């Protein structure tokens, strides 16, 4: 927001007056001190004003026309004003605040994003199309301090939620989709490894492993866009186009593999015509579709695990790794993942045996909707606990390895095994 309020600051200016000005503002903020970006914005506007020495400020104007309206908007978001002498009451009783209720974090994010801030701060009673504060003060940034009392703070601060906070599993699934993608892929791969009839499963079962990454990318994209109302339209459009035109290609190739395998639909041959003459005929075989599906699935899987070097808001303070992990950290996670794979391998092996027995029991029965429903219920009741074990095995393995590391460090601190045995 610095370009919105004043020119670039010089390091050789008087810092004592800046410290005094900031402390004067901070002393009046009250609960708004939890919005440090708002406090710094006010400080920048006041500094730009008084560096120009233009006009005078009426006593009490800042508290009455700026802080009181802002505090009322902040308070009314989740509280109701109490009766005379009573504190305000929470609007929703014992229930948690709704997902769209703004809090200090959302207003901080509003005041550190200059693009959103320029659109959000509007003047009172300016008709259907309100005038924006920073458009009016574009050439005279020192006038922002005087215009703060005319800002419609209710329209400026309400409905400015950056990230919705629903009390569901969707934020965890969308935010940690790479972890769930890795677990799902390992679970499916182990299912194929332990299959006996046929070995490593049928081609449709093997190819189904390639649509795991597109499914989790759909969860991430839909969840992220639903949970981020402040996301710009251009970012929504680019994410949607990438999801539909690239990330969903394994779905199309898998559908072609299934239709060709079960002989439901055969991709017709294509004649290549150059300058009016037939050059060759392209025949799409089943082997070609398998290779195409493998290539597209591998590419989408690798890009799904790729790190995101820049966030969609283009904020300059996006965190990055300060240093590479130490060798001890790599050894720790190597042992934890090896233990996880061992736990998953044994669990999935017994699951495959149970699935084979269940399939053999249902093989001789007549095919009907009731039979198919019972068969699907049996498969779900067997696969769901195994999948939960697979998903929970990494935290279990990391805790087991961590307990060994902690025990070894404790024994070392106590002076070794012999002293540990005597002190036990």
């Amino acid at each position: 927001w610095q370009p919105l309020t004043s020119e670039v600051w010089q390091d050789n200016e008087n810092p004592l007056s800046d410290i005094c000005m900031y402390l004067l503002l901070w002393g009046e903020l009250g609960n708004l001190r939890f919005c440090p970006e708002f406090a710094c914005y006010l400080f920048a506007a006041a500094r730009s004003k008084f560096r120009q020495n233009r006009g005078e400020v009426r006593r009490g104007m800042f508290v009455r026309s700026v802080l009181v309206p802002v505090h009322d908007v902040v308070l009314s978001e989740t509280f109701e004003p109490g009766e005379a002498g009573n504190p305000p009451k929470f609007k929703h009783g014992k229930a948690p605040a709704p997902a769209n209720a703004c809090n200090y974090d959302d207003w901080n994010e509003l005041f550190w994003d200059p693009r959103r801030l320029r659109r959000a701060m509007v003047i009172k009673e300016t008709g259907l199309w309100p005038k924006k504060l920073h458009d009016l003060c574009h050439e005279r940034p020192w006038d922002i301090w005087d215009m703060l009392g005319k800002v419609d703070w209710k329209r400026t601060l309400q409905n400015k939620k950056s990230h919705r906070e629903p009390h569901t599993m969707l934020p965890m699934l969308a935010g940690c989709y790479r972890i769930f993608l890795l677990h799902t892929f390992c679970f499916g791969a182990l299912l194929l490894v332990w299959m006996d009839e046929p070995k490593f499963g049928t081609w449709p079962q093997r190819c189904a492993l390639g649509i795991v990454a597109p499914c989790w990318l759909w969860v991430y994209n839909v969840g992220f866009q639903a949970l981020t109302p402040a996301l710009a339209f251009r970012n929504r459009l680019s994410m949607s186009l990438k999801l539909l035109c690239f990330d969903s290609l394994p779905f199309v190739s898998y559908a072609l593999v299934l239709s060709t395998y079960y002989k439901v639909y055969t991709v017709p041959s294509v004649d290549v015509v150059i300058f009016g003459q037939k050059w060759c005929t392209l025949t799409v075989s089943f082997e070609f579709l398998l290779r195409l599906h493998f290539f597209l699935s591998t590419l989408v899987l690798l890009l799904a695990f790729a790190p995101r070097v820049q966030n969609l808001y283009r904020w300059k303070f996006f965190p990055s790794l300060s240093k590479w992990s130490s060798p001890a950290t790599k050894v720790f996670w190597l042992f934890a993942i090896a233990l996880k794979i061992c736990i998953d391998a044994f669990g999935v092996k017994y699951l495959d045996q149970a699935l084979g027995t269940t399939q053999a029991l249902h093989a001789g029965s007549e095919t009907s909707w009731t039979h198919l429903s019972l068969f699907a219920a049996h498969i779900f009741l067997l696969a769901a606990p195994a999948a939960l074990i697979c998903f929970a095995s990494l935290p279990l393995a990391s805790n087991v390895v961590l307990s060994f590391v902690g025990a070894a460090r404790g024994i070392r601190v106590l002076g070794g095994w012999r002293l540990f045995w005597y002190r036990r």
Side-chain angles (χ1 to χ4, degrees):
W1 35 255
Q2 184 174 321
L4 304 180
T5 55
S6 64
E7 65 280 355
V8 179
W9 298 351
Q10 302 294 330
D11 294 335
N12 56 359
E13 295 185 9
N14 185 12
L16 181 59
S17 62
D18 293 341
I19 294 174
C20 295
M21 186 181 301
Y22 181 80
L23 292 177
L24 288 172
L25 291 171
W26 185 83
E28 300 289 350
L29 287 177
N31 286 346
L32 297 179
R33 295 167 188 166
F34 293 108
C35 290
E37 292 293 331
F38 175 64
C40 292
Y41 174 83
L42 294 176
F43 167 72
R47 187 180 189 276
S48 177
K49 164 71 177 179
F50 295 107
R51 281 287 181 265
Q52 296 293 329
N53 293 323
R54 297 175 181 271
E56 298 179 356
V57 178
R58 293 173 298 174
R59 186 173 183 178
M61 182 273 297
F62 173 65
V63 175
R64 289 194 304 269
S65 60
V66 179
L67 292 188
V68 172
V70 173
H71 185 270
D72 290 342
V73 174
V74 171
L75 186 66
S76 64
E77 192 70 23
T78 52
F79 286 88
E80 294 178 350
E83 299 177 356
N86 295 324
K89 298 180 180 179
F90 190 63
K91 282 184 177 181
H92 309 284
K94 296 183 179 180
N100 292 325
C102 295
N103 51 42
Y104 293 114
D105 294 337
D106 301 298
W107 292 311
N108 267 325
E109 292 169 3
L110 172 64
F111 276 93
W112 70 40
D113 191 342
R115 296 180 181 178
R116 291 181 61 204
L117 188 62
R118 183 184 293 274
R119 296 192 302 265
M121 299 192 70
V122 296
I123 304 300
K124 298 177 184 176
E125 300 177 357
T126 53
L128 182 62
W129 303 101
K131 296 180 181 179
K132 297 178 175 57
L133 171 67
H134 294 288
D135 291 342
L136 296 176
C137 303
H138 176 68
E139 297 181 355
R140 297 169 56 90
W142 50 83
D143 290 341
I144 292 179
W145 177 262
D146 296 329
M147 296 288 291
L148 288 176
K150 301 179 181 179
V151 173
D152 190 346
W153 291 108
K154 186 175 183 180
R155 298 180 64 175
T156 299
L157 299 179
Q158 283 187 344
N159 300 322
K160 295 301 184 294
K161 189 72 175 174
S162 298
H163 300 279
R164 292 191 179 96
E165 303 173 43
H167 302 279
T168 62
M169 297 291 289
L170 181 59
M172 185 182 68
L173 294 176
C176 306
Y177 78 98
R178 290 188 184 90
I179 299 176
F180 293 103
L181 169 58
L182 178 61
H183 284 298
T184 309
F185 188 83
C186 293
F187 180 68
L190 289 173
L191 280 176
L192 294 177
V193 167
W194 290 111
M195 281 187 178
D196 294 329
E197 297 179 1
K199 189 64 176 177
F200 302 120
T202 61
W203 278 114
Q205 291 172 343
R206 299 175 193 174
C207 294
L209 199 61
I211 62 174
V212 172
C215 290
W216 279 109
L217 285 174
W218 269 88
V219 172
Y220 164 70
N221 281 274
V222 174
F224 184 78
Q225 295 195 36
L227 296 172
T228 314
L231 192 63
F233 174 76
R234 62 182 181 278
N235 293 328
R236 293 183 185 274
L237 181 61
S238 62
M239 291 179 64
S240 302
L241 290 177
K242 180 178 178 294
L243 179 65
L244 294 174
C245 301
F246 179 74
D247 295 337
S248 300
L249 288 179
F251 289 130
V252 179
S253 60
Y254 183 66
L256 293 176
V257 168
L258 285 182
S259 61
T260 307
Y261 182 82
Y262 292 109
K263 298 180 180 180
V264 177
Y265 172 77
T266 303
V267 180
S269 302
V270 179
D271 295 332
V272 179
V273 179
I274 300 178
F275 298 112
Q277 294 183 358
K278 181 180 178 180
W279 188 57
C280 64
T281 301
L282 296 178
T283 302
V284 181
S285 62
F286 182 69
E287 290 76 13
F288 174 78
L289 291 177
L290 289 178
R291 295 189 183 96
L292 178 64
H293 179 68
F294 176 78
F295 172 75
L296 294 176
S297 302
T298 305
L299 185 61
V300 172
L301 180 65
L302 292 177
L303 293 178
F305 282 116
R308 303 181 184 278
V309 297
Q310 187 179 20
N311 61 347
L312 295 177
Y313 296 106
R314 302 184 184 277
W315 291 335
K316 301 301 181 182
F317 57 88
F318 190 63
S320 59
L321 292 176
S322 58
K323 60 180 180 179
W324 295 102
S325 58
S326 62
T329 304
K330 296 178 181 178
V331 172
F332 171 82
W333 283 111
L334 182 64
F335 277 100
I337 293 175
L339 183 60
K340 169 202 165 37
I341 293 176
C342 293
I343 296 173
D344 294 347
F346 283 106
V348 173
K349 179 180 180 180
Y350 294 120
L351 171 64
D352 272 335
Q353 295 176 358
L355 291 177
T357 305
T358 304
Q359 188 174 3
L361 290 175
H362 287 271
S365 304
E366 61 181 22
T367 303
S368 62
W369 287 108
T370 304
H371 170 259
L372 293 176
S373 301
L374 290 175
F375 179 66
H378 289 170
I379 295 297
F380 176 78
L381 291 176
L382 288 172
L388 290 177
I389 293 173
C390 181
F391 276 64
S393 58
L394 183 58
L396 173 63
S398 60
N399 286 330
V400 170
V401 177
L402 188 62
S403 64
F404 282 109
V405 173
R409 289 178 61 87
I411 292 171
R412 181 182 177 185
V413 171
L414 290 175
W417 282 103
R418 180 174 297 180
L419 291 178
F420 171 73
W421 178 260
Y422 289 138
R423 294 182 181 182
R424 65 185 178 86

